[in-house]
C-alpha cells in the first residue's frame, strides 16, 4: 500500500516517469517529415523597359526536401532505442526505490520499537527504584544501592529521549522519501515481522538484474546512433515546384528544380568515429555491469543467509535474557540477588532486545539488496 501511494507522490518516481514520457515524445517527433518551404522571388526590379514594357518577373516556389539513404529510418530507430533505454532506467529506479522505501520503513519501525524498548527499560528501572527504596527502608540494602537505582532511572529517561528523537528522524526521512504531504507520526503495519521468508529465485540469470538490462538498453541506443552518424553526410534532395509570372503580360510558366548538397568537404568521418567509440564504451559498461550483477547477487545472497542466522541467534539470546531478568527480579525481591547484579541483567535484556531489532533491520536491508540484484520488488508488488 505504501509503495502504491508513493508512486503518485515520490519525486524520484515522478522524475523518471517524466523522462520516459519525454523519450516517447522524442521517438514520435523523430518520425516527422521535414517541412516544405515557400519562397517568393521578384526579378528585374528597376530594370530598363524594353519597348516600354516592364521586364519584371515574379516567381513563387514550394520546395520539399527528402532525406535519402535511410536517414529518417535511422533517426527513428535511434530515438526508439533511447525510449527503450529510458524505460529500462525507470524500471531500475523503481526497483531501487522499492528497496530504499522498504529499508526506510523498516528503519522507522525499528526506531519505534527501540523507543518501546526504552520505555519498557524505564518502567523496569522505576520498579527497581521502588524495590530499592523498600529494601533500604527495611534496612536490607545500603543507601548506595538506592543511588544506583536512581542513576539507572536517569539513564533510562535519557535513553527514552534519544530513542524518541531517532524515531522522529526516521519517520521524517520516510515521509520525505515517499513524498508525503504530511509527515508520518507512527508505523502501523509491521514490516520487520511480515517479511519472514526469503523469496527464492533459483532460475536467476545476470540478465534479470535491472542494472544489466539498463546497460544493455543504453548500449543498443548508442549503437543505433552510429547508423545516424554514418548517414548524416548523405545529401538531401530538394524538389521545387513553382510558378513564374511575367510583368509584361498575363502569361505564366511553371518552374521545376532539383537541389542537393554536395558532401565535398564534410563526410562526417570524425562524427562516425566518435559514435563508434561511444558504442565501444557502452559495450564495456555492459560487460562491467554483467560482472557486477553476478558479484552483487552472490554477495547479497550471502548477506541474506548471514542475516537470517544472526536473527535466529538474536532471538534466542533475547529469550534467554528475558528469562534471566525474570529470575533475577524474583531473586532481588526475595533479597537473594544484589541490585548491581540485577542492573547488569536488566542491561543485558535491553541489549538483547536491541540486537534482535537490529538483526531484523539488517535482514530487511539484505533482502532489499537481493531483490534489486534479482530484479524483483521486495514488497512483492508491481513497482
Amino acid at each position: 500500500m505504501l509503495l502504491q501511494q508513493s508512486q503518485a507522490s515520490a519525486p524520484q518516481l515522478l522524475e523518471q516517469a517524466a523522462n520516459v514520457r519525454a523519450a516517447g515524445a522524442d521517438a514520435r517527433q523523430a518520425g516527422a517529415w521535414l517541412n516544405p518551404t515557400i519562397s517568393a522571388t521578384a526579378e528585374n526590379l528597376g530594370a530598363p523597359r524594353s519597348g516600354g514594357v516592364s521586364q519584371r518577373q515574379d516567381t513563387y516556389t514550394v520546395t520539399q526536401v527528402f532525406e535519402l539513404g535511410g536517414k529518417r529510418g535511422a533517426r527513428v530507430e535511434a530515438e526508439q532505442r533511447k525510449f527503450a533505454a529510458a524505460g529500462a532506467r525507470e524500471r531500475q529506479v523503481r526497483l531501487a526505490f522499492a528497496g530504499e522505501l522498504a529499508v526506510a520503513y523498516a528503519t522507522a519501525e525499528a526506531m519505534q520499537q527501540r523507543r518501546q524498548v526504552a520505555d519498557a527499560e524505564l518502567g523496569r528501572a522505576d520498579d527497581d527504584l521502588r524495590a530499592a527504596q523498600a529494601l533500604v527502608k527495611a534496612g536490607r540494602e545500603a543507601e548506595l544501592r538506592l543511588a544506583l537505582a536512581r542513576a539507572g532511572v536517569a539513564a533510562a529517561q535519557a535513553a527514552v529521549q534519544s530513542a524518541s528523537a531517532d524515531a522522529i528522524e526516521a519517520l521524517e526521512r520516510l515521509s520525505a522519501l515517499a513524498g508525503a504531504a504530511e509527515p508520518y507520526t507512527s508505523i502501523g503495519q509491521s514490516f520487520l515481522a511480515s517479511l519472514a521468508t526469503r523469496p527464492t529465485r533459483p532460475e536467476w540469470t545476470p540478465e534479470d538484474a535491472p542494472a544489466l538490462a539498463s546497460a544493455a538498453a543504453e548500449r543498443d541506443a548508442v549503437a543505433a546512433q552510429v547508423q545516424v552518424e554514418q548517414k548524416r553526410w548523405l545529401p538531401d534532395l530538394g524538389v521545387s515546384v513553382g510558378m513564374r509570372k511575367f510583368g509584361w503580360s498575363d502569361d505564366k510558366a511553371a518552374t521545376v528544380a532539383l537541389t542537393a548538397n554536395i558532401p565535398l568537404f564534410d563526410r562526417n568521418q570524425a562524427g562516425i568515429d566518435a559514435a563508434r567509440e561511444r558504442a565501444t564504451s557502452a559495450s564495456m559498461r555492459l560487460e562491467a555491469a554483467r560482472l557486477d550483477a553476478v558479484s552483487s547477487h552472490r554477495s547479497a545472497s550471502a548477506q541474506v543467509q548471514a542475516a537470517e542466522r544472526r536473527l535466529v541467534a538474536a532471538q534466542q539470546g533475547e529469550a534467554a535474557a528475558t528469562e534471566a531478568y525474570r529470575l533475577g527480579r524474583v531473586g532481588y525481591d526475595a533479597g537473594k540477588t544484589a541490585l548491581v547484579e540485577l542492573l547488569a541483567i536488566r542491561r543485558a535484556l535491553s541489549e538483547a532486545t536491541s540486537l534482535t531489532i537490529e538483526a531484523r533491520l539488517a535482514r530487511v536491508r539484505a533482502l532489499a539488496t537481493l531483490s534489486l540484484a534479482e530484479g524483483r520488488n521486495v514488497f512483492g508488488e508491481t513497482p
Side-chain angles (χ1 to χ4, degrees):
M1 181 62 70
L2 177 62
L3 180 60
Q4 295 176 353
Q5 295 174 352
S6 301
Q7 290 176 348
S9 57
Q12 295 182 32
L13 301 185
L14 296 179
E15 175 189 359
Q16 291 303 316
N19 290 337
V20 172
R21 292 194 299 270
D26 288 337
R28 295 192 301 272
Q29 181 62 37
W33 294 94
L34 298 179
N35 289 325
T37 59
I38 298 177
S39 62
T41 304
E43 302 179 59
N44 299 332
L45 298 178
R49 292 177 174 269
S50 176
V53 179
S54 172
Q55 300 299 305
R56 176 172 175 172
Q57 298 180 17
D58 297 326
T59 304
Y60 304 93
T61 305
V62 176
T63 302
Q64 176 64 57
V65 176
F66 297 94
E67 296 174 297
L68 303 180
K71 295 173 67 174
R72 176 175 175 271
R75 184 176 65 250
V76 171
E77 175 69 15
E79 292 300 330
Q80 288 176 344
R81 295 289 186 180
K82 291 179 181 179
F83 175 57
R89 285 194 299 271
E90 182 193 29
R91 180 175 180 271
Q92 180 183 2
V93 169
R94 284 184 176 275
L95 289 174
F97 176 83
E100 188 177 356
L101 186 65
V103 172
Y105 187 93
T107 300
E109 182 184 355
M111 295 303 103
Q112 183 172 284
Q113 290 182 0
R114 286 179 178 176
R115 183 174 60 188
Q116 294 171 355
V117 170
D119 290 336
E121 175 70 6
L122 178 58
R124 288 191 291 266
D126 288 334
D127 292 340
D128 294 343
L129 176 59
R130 286 191 294 270
Q133 289 173 338
L135 292 174
V136 169
K137 185 176 181 180
R140 297 167 57 187
E141 284 282 7
E143 289 290 337
L144 176 61
R145 304 308 184 193
L146 184 60
L148 288 175
R150 288 171 177 167
V153 171
Q157 291 174 340
V160 168
Q161 296 301 320
S162 177
S164 298
D166 291 340
I168 293 174
E169 180 183 5
L171 288 170
E172 289 291 344
R173 289 180 178 177
L174 177 62
S175 303
L177 182 63
E182 295 292 335
Y184 299 124
T185 57
S186 64
I187 296 297
Q189 184 177 0
S190 175
F191 188 67
L192 292 173
S194 63
L195 198 64
T197 59
R198 171 191 170 187
T200 58
R201 190 170 185 174
E203 71 280 5
W204 180 86
T205 61
E207 283 68 23
D208 294 326
L212 184 60
S214 180
E218 292 284 355
R219 186 271 315 272
D220 294 341
V222 174
Q225 190 63 32
V226 175
Q227 295 292 326
V228 175
E229 296 298 329
Q230 289 176 336
K231 297 177 181 298
R232 190 181 298 277
W233 67 272
L234 296 175
D236 295 332
L237 178 64
V239 179
S240 301
V241 178
M243 182 269 293
R244 178 168 294 171
K245 182 178 181 298
F246 302 101
W248 58 86
S249 68
D250 293 333
D251 294 334
K252 300 177 183 179
T255 63
V256 177
L258 296 176
T259 59
N261 58 308
I262 303 175
L264 182 61
F265 302 110
D266 182 11
R267 297 176 67 90
N268 197 36
Q269 191 58 52
I272 295 172
D273 293 341
R276 286 174 175 168
E277 292 300 329
R278 282 190 288 268
T280 301
S281 176
S283 297
M284 294 301 101
R285 287 196 300 271
L286 176 60
E287 292 305 314
R290 187 185 307 278
L291 295 174
D292 185 67
V294 174
S295 175
S296 297
H297 184 261
R298 291 174 180 171
S299 175
S301 298
Q303 289 295 330
V304 168
Q305 294 175 5
E308 289 175 343
R309 291 192 295 267
R310 176 186 175 186
L311 177 58
V312 172
Q315 289 173 334
Q316 293 174 348
E318 182 182 2
T322 301
E323 180 63 14
Y325 180 75
R326 186 187 69 81
L327 295 176
R329 180 68 197 204
V330 172
Y332 182 74
D333 292 340
K336 298 179 179 179
T337 303
L339 179 60
V340 175
E341 184 178 353
L342 180 63
L343 294 178
I345 295 174
R346 193 184 73 202
R347 284 195 298 270
L349 174 58
S350 297
E351 292 174 357
T353 305
S354 298
L355 285 176
T356 301
I357 296 173
E358 182 60 33
R360 290 196 179 101
L361 180 57
R363 186 172 180 274
V364 171
R365 291 195 182 101
L367 286 172
T369 302
L370 179 61
S371 297
L372 178 60
E374 293 185 346
R376 294 181 293 99
N377 180 0
V378 69
F379 284 96
E381 305 173 13
T382 300

